[in-house]
């Protein structure tokens, strides 16, 4: 048994949380009324990863954290993900900047971005992460961001740590980082699909 299976790294904590979430969805079925607080608990763990990216992505960190914080703050009064969307539909605020339904959509895009980055990370052995991260961003988030944000993000990609630096900062090894990323990739997909279905089942498009 290696040390990483007993020692909880930031990445394994994230993978654990999403495995718990996806197991819950699989056990209860995809019509399950997922608790906002449970969901936000998993999402907030992701913030730890930002610490590895350096100052260039401070803005992304603040953006992500503030949206998760808004959702967490709403969890007492709204209870579930379904309820925030129903509330915003009634108030015609589904896509209104700052609305809970919009923030949930952005957080979901963030989760998908991380999934795509991990997938690219595992499918190349590039020393620099610029290519893996840019391709993942282009696919998952860039279409929904303004030109100014996209330009800033692509410029920031040059400041990303190298592959080895990232593994070191995550307190992982070549082997453990692969194992943990695969766990997150597999566990986040059902969660992302669950969120998408909350929108599409109410005839809300996913093109924003
Ligand atoms: C090796 C890992 C490299 C990862 C590099 C990834 C960098 C991605 C940076 C994304 C920056 C997004 C900045 C701001 C976006 C806002 O314009 C949007 C729209 O907000 P709205 O108009 O609805 O209020 N905000 C968001 O999309 C929420 C934040 C998403 C950021 C998720 C990042 C997750 C990456 C984590 C990597 C560990």
């Amino acid at each position: 048994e290696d040390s990483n299976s007993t020692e909880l790294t930031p990445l394994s904590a994230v993978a654990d949380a999403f495995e718990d979430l996806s197991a819950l969805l699989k056990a209860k079925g995809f019509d399950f009324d997922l608790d906002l607080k449970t969901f936000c608990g998993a999402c907030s763990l992701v913030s730890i990863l930002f610490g590895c990216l350096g100052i260039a992505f401070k803005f992304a960190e603040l953006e992500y954290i503030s949206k998760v914080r808004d959702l967490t703050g709403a969890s007492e009064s709204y209870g579930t993900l379904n309820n925030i969307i129903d509330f915003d539909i009634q108030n015609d605020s589904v896509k209104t900047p700052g609305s809970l339904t919009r923030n949930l959509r952005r957080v979901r895009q963030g989760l998908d971005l991380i999934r795509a980055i991990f997938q690219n990370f595992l499918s190349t052995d590039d020393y620099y992460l610029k290519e893996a991260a840019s391709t993942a961003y282009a696919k998952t988030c860039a279409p929904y961001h303004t030109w100014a944000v996209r330009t800033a993000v692509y410029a920031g990609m040059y400041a990303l740590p190298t592959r080895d630096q990232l593994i070191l900062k995550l307190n992982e090894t070549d082997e453990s980082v692969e194992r943990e990323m695969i766990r997150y990739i597999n566990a986040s997909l059902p969660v992302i699909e669950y969120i998408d279905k909350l929108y599409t089942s109410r005839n809300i498009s996913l093109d924003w």
Side-chain angles (χ1 to χ4, degrees), residues 35-38 40 70-80 84:
D35 206 44
L36 194 52
K37 201 179 224 162
T38 308
C40 289
D70 281 0
L71 290 166
T72 306
S75 63
E76 289 297 337
S77 40
Y78 289 83
T80 68
I84 62 170

Side-chain angles (χ1 to χ4, degrees), residues 90-163:
Q90 271 169 20
N91 285 273
D92 200 18
S93 49
V94 165
K95 299 184 186 180
T96 305
S99 82
L100 295 167
T101 302
R102 177 160 166 149
N103 288 350
L104 175 62
R105 176 100 187 108
R106 298 293 173 241
V107 169
R108 174 258 181 246
Q109 286 163 349
L111 299 178
D112 199 27
L113 170 61
I114 297 163
R115 188 198 53 77
I117 288 170
F118 287 180
Q119 219 145 36
N120 290 347
F121 183 96
L122 296 177
S123 64
T124 69
D125 49 16
D126 288 358
Y127 183 67
Y128 294 104
L129 299 180
K130 181 181 162 291
E131 194 66 33
S134 302
T135 312
Y137 175 73
K139 233 186 262 174
T140 58
C141 289
Y144 316 109
H145 288 170
T146 63
W147 178 86
V149 166
R150 284 200 304 270
T151 306
V153 170
Y154 286 125
M157 296 293 181
Y158 289 95
L160 284 175
T162 64
R163 188 184 190 87

